[in-house]
Amino acid sequence: MISQTETKKEENAVNLPEAKFSDMKINPKILKKLEELKFTVPTPIQLQTIPVGLEGGDLIGIAQTGTGKTLAFGIPIIQKIMDEKQLALIVLPTRELALQVDEVFQKVGRSLGITTAVLIGGAAFGPQMAAIRRHPQVIIGTPGRIIDHLEKRHIKLHACRILVLDEADRMLDMGFAPQIKEILKEMEASKDRQTLLFSATMPDYIAAIATKYMKTPLRVEVARAGSVAENIEQEIYFVKKDQKLRLLEKLLQEHTGSVLVFSRTKYGAQKICKELEMSGYTAAEIHSNRSLMQRRQALDGFKAGKYRVLVATDIASRGIDVTGIQLIVNFDLPESPEDYVHRIGRTGRAGQKGRAISIATSDQQHKIYRIEMLTKTKMKVFGEAKDLPRASQGRSHPSEQRHFFKKRQFRRGSGGANRGRGGAPGGR
Ligand code: AMP
C-alpha cells in the first residue's frame, strides 16, 4: 500500500522498458480479452497506474488525451468487480466521453459479465431508469445527471467503492465543481473508497480536491501537465478572418484523410459545415445545438468514413476517440491553452503520427504565446514570419496580406536559434 504521497514521472514515454499486460497482476480472463483486442503492450499511463489501481490505492493521473487513460482505470475496475464484487462510479464531463468510456467497458468487460449504466444529460430518463434497475456494476455519467438521479433517489452511492473523476480539469472548467463536491460528499460514507482522478492539466483547485478527499494519492505523470504528444506536428497559419474558409479548403485538398475541425462557437461550426458541404465535402457537425441522436449520428458517421470532416466545438469534442484522424484544424484558436492540448490530442493517438494546423489572425499572437507557455513547445519560425505584426499592434496590419498562407511551424525542442532570428513575434 502507498503510505505517503509519491510522484512518478516519465517525461519520455519512449524510454520506458517494454512491459506486457501479462507481466502485471491482471486476471487471466481480462488478459485474454486484451489479447483479442490486440492490446498487449500497456501504454505508459497504463503501465504506471494499473498496479496502483489493482492494489486499491488512490491516484492522480496526469495524462494527455489519447494516452490510454480509459483502460488505465478500466482494467482495475473490471478486475475488482470480478474478484471483489465492487461497484464503481465514473464521473466525466460530456455525453460523448461517457459513451466512449462505456464502449471500452463493453468491449473488454461485457463478455466477462460487467454491466454498466450511462447516465447523461440530454437523454431520456426512461432507459436510464431501466439500466439502473438492472443493478449495474459501473455507473458512467455526467455530474448534473448523476445528481438528478441521486436527488430522485434512483441511485445510492454508499455501496460504491471506486470513484473515477475523468478529465477533472475540464469538469471544473465547465462549472461542475458544486456537483462534484456533492458526489464526493455523498461517497464520503463509503470508508474504503478508492478515488482515481485523471486530468490533462493540474490546476491548484484539483490539487485541493486531492488533499481534501483523497488518501495520499500517488501522482503519476506520463507527460508534463499540458504537454502534447511528440508525434504531433504542429503548424500555424496567419490569415485574415475572411480568408479562413479558403485556407481550410486548401488544407482539405492537400490532405486526403479524415479531418477534425474546431470552431469556437456552435454557429461557426454550423456555418463551416454548410460551406464545406456546398463545396462538395462530406461533413458533419457536433455541438450543443445538436441533439444527442444527431451528435451520435455525426460521430458514428465520421468513424465509419461517411463524413470526411467533422466540425466540432470544444465541449462537444470531449470523448471523440476516432483512431486515424489525419489532421486537426483549429479554425479558431481555442479559448484556453488547455483546450488546445485537448483538441490536438485527438490526432496522433496511441503512438500514431498526427498533424495539427491552427489558423490565427495576426492579433492573436498572445494566444499562441499562452499555448506555447503551457505546452513548453518552442517555436520554429519558417519564412518571413518575423515581419508579422506584433500583438500590441492590433488588427488588420497591412503585412497580413503579404503573408497570407505563410506558416510558422513549431516542434518540441527545436527552434531556439530561430526565435532570436525571427524576433519572437507577438512582442514577448
Ligand atoms: P484513451 O486515452 O483511453 O481514449 O485511448 C486512446 C486510444 O488508445 C483508444 O483508441 C484505445 O483503443 C487505444 N489504446 C488504449 N490502450 C492501448 C494499448 N495498450 N495498446 C494500443 N492501443 C491502446
Side-chain angles (χ1 to χ4, degrees):
M1 286 299 281
I2 297 136
S3 55
Q4 55 181 351
T5 304
E6 299 168 51
T7 302
K8 274 189 188 180
K9 280 195 183 183
E10 188 51 59
E11 285 289 323
N12 186 355
V14 187
N15 290 339
L16 280 173
E18 186 156 292
K20 294 199 172 78
F21 280 122
S22 52
D23 299 332
M24 304 165 112
K25 291 178 186 158
I26 297 175
N27 183 312
K29 287 182 185 159
I30 302 176
L31 278 179
K32 193 161 167 270
K33 201 72 217 166
L34 292 172
E35 248 176 66
E36 274 171 41
L37 294 166
K38 310 258 181 294
F39 294 159
T40 49
V41 178
T43 65
I45 188 81
Q46 292 164 356
L47 187 61
Q48 295 187 66
T49 57
I50 289 172
V52 184
L54 290 175
E55 270 185 27
D58 280 6
L59 68 85
I60 299 178
I62 309 280
Q64 62 205 79
T65 51
T67 51
K69 271 186 304 153
T70 316
L71 282 176
F73 60 78
I75 291 173
I77 287 177
I78 292 172
Q79 181 142 333
K80 278 170 177 286
I81 292 170
M82 290 170 70
D83 296 353
E84 302 165 31
K85 308 259 175 297
Q86 292 198 357
L87 303 177
L89 172 69
I90 301 169
V91 189
L92 30 70
T94 66
R95 312 153 182 192
E96 280 75 20
L97 184 60
L99 295 170
Q100 192 66 57
V101 167
D102 185 51
E103 207 174 300
V104 172
F105 272 85
Q106 299 297 332
K107 263 200 236 165
V108 180
R110 189 172 21 205
S111 62
L112 304 172
I114 306 296
T115 53
T116 63
V118 178
L119 308 182
I120 48 183
F125 272 88
Q128 295 185 3
M129 294 296 301
I132 290 168
R133 277 194 287 270
R134 287 194 289 271
H135 301 291
Q137 294 141 332
V138 186
I139 289 179
I140 303 162
T142 47
R145 185 55 68 97
I146 290 172
I147 296 291
D148 284 348
H149 282 289
L150 274 172
E151 283 173 356
K152 291 186 163 79
R153 300 186 185 280
H154 299 157
I155 53 171
K156 285 185 197 143
L157 298 181
H158 64 272
C160 195
R161 289 278 176 277
I162 309 172
L163 171 68
V164 177
L165 298 174
D166 195 12
E167 301 206 349
D169 53 343
R170 169 46 57 134
M171 287 199 281
L172 295 169
D173 281 352
M174 288 169 70
F176 283 133
Q179 287 87 347
I180 290 172
K181 251 194 195 148
E182 212 172 317
I183 291 168
L184 281 162
K185 276 212 182 111
E186 193 76 25
M187 287 191 69
E188 249 177 350
S190 76
K191 288 263 178 297
D192 308 319
R193 188 187 77 223
Q194 178 180 20
T195 307
L196 311 175
L197 185 151
F198 288 83
S199 183
T201 56
M202 187 68 187
D204 289 346
Y205 38 82
I206 292 194
I209 288 187
T211 315
K212 185 149 185 222
Y213 294 99
M214 295 171 80
K215 289 169 286 176
T216 56
L218 179 80
R219 180 179 157 136
V220 173
E221 191 171 339
V222 292
R224 197 182 47 240
S227 74
V228 295
E230 304 255 348
N231 52 334
I232 302 175
E233 201 174 305
Q234 302 170 71
E235 294 173 7
I236 180 147
Y237 286 75
F238 285 93
V239 297
K240 277 186 168 174
K241 212 172 163 190
D242 61 5
Q243 293 169 322
K244 284 185 170 188
L245 264 169
R246 257 175 67 204
L247 174 56
L248 176 59
E249 290 200 22
K250 185 175 183 286
L251 295 173
L252 290 175
Q253 284 158 17
E254 285 174 1
H255 295 79
T256 49
S258 58
V259 179
L260 177 59
V261 177
F262 282 98
S263 158
R264 197 175 56 82
T265 64
K266 47 198 174 191
Y267 302 106
Q270 265 165 353
K271 189 169 167 233
I272 296 165
C273 193
K274 246 192 210 121
E275 295 277 353
L276 292 180
E277 277 172 343
M278 270 158 53
S279 298
Y281 294 98
T282 52
E285 55 193 278
I286 181 164
H287 50 77
S288 57
N289 268 9
R290 309 290 280 174
S291 68
L292 189 55
M293 268 271 279
Q294 288 172 318
R295 288 157 76 159
R296 276 218 90 158
Q297 188 262 341
L299 196 54
D300 290 347
F302 185 58
K303 276 187 188 176
K306 184 173 163 198
Y307 307 112
R308 192 183 144 210
V309 187
L310 184 66
V311 189
T313 53
D314 285 296
I315 288 177
S317 77
R318 292 292 163 134
I320 295 179
D321 177 25
V322 182
T323 41
I325 295 180
Q326 190 192 14
L327 174 67
I328 302 289
V329 177
N330 292 317
F331 190 87
D332 302 308
L333 290 180
E335 286 291 319
S336 73
E338 283 82 11
D339 280 337
Y340 178 84
V341 176
H342 283 292
R343 282 182 178 191
I344 77 166
R346 312 285 125 188
T347 185
R349 301 212 117 185
Q352 291 173 2
K353 270 207 176 313
R355 195 162 193 212
I357 295 179
S358 300
I359 306 179
T361 49
S362 61
D363 59 339
Q364 290 182 312
Q365 303 269 351
H366 61 288
K367 286 204 167 195
I368 305 289
Y369 175 62
R370 285 179 57 218
I371 289 168
E372 287 180 322
M373 290 295 284
L374 179 71
T375 60
K376 306 273 195 299
T377 318
K378 282 186 184 158
M379 199 178 286
K380 192 168 183 181
V381 183
F382 280 92
E384 295 164 75
K386 62 177 185 293
D387 293 334
L388 281 165
R390 285 165 183 266
S392 56
Q393 284 179 297
R395 295 174 314 235
S396 295
H397 192 283
S399 66
E400 249 184 326
Q401 188 61 41
R402 284 192 285 121
H403 296 287
F404 179 48
F405 291 175
K406 280 273 152 58
K407 64 182 178 184
R408 294 192 296 171
Q409 194 167 29
F410 50 95
R411 286 198 195 93
R412 182 192 288 277
S414 60
N418 288 310
R419 188 187 285 280
R421 181 181 59 88
R428 274 162 251 175

